[in-house]
């Protein structure tokens, strides 16, 4: 009976090792995925920052254009 118990314990241990290896592989893949997507997110953040830097001057120009348009309307009314 002791031999059967040892064999059963060995089989259970081997299965736990296999499960542990599988979980470790899944964990490593998820870590790799996280690093990959972190790089993508950083690149997207840089793109957003660049777009914001381009948008800010355009917003100022649009605001100035609005003022000029209003000023022209006033002058048009006066004429």
């Amino acid at each position: 009976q002791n031999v059967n118990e040892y064999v059963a314990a060995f089989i259970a241990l081997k299965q736990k090792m296999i499960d542990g290896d599988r979980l470790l592989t899944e964990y490593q893949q998820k870590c790799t995925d996280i690093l990959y997507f972190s790089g993508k997110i950083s690149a997207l953040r840089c793109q957003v920052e660049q777009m914001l830097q381009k948008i800010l001057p355009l917003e100022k120009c649009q605001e100035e254009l609005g003022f000029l348009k209003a000023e022209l309307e006033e002058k048009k009314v006066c004429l």
Side-chain angles (χ1 to χ4, degrees):
Q1 185 182 1
N2 281 345
V3 171
N4 288 340
E5 288 175 3
Y6 285 128
V7 169
F10 175 75
I11 291 171
L13 180 60
K14 188 170 182 178
Q15 187 59 48
K16 286 182 181 181
M17 289 172 61
I18 291 169
D19 292 344
D21 286 345
R22 181 183 50 78
L23 288 173
L24 182 59
T25 301
E26 289 175 8
Y27 174 76
Q28 288 171 334
Q29 182 60 47
K30 288 180 181 180
C31 288
T32 302
D33 291 346
I34 287 170
L35 289 174
Y36 172 77
F37 287 116
S38 292
K40 290 284 186 182
I41 288 169
S42 293
L44 289 172
R45 281 188 179 142
C46 287
Q47 288 178 354
V48 167
E49 282 297 318
Q50 290 172 353
M51 290 174 71
L52 286 174
Q53 289 175 359
K54 290 178 183 178
I55 287 172
L56 288 176
L58 292 174
E59 286 178 339
K60 287 181 183 177
C61 287
Q62 188 175 14
E63 186 178 330
E64 288 177 21
L65 185 62
F67 289 134
L68 288 173
K69 197 174 181 182
E71 196 175 308
L72 283 173
E73 285 296 322
E74 282 181 30
K75 288 182 180 181
K76 182 179 172 184
V77 169
C78 290
L79 292 175

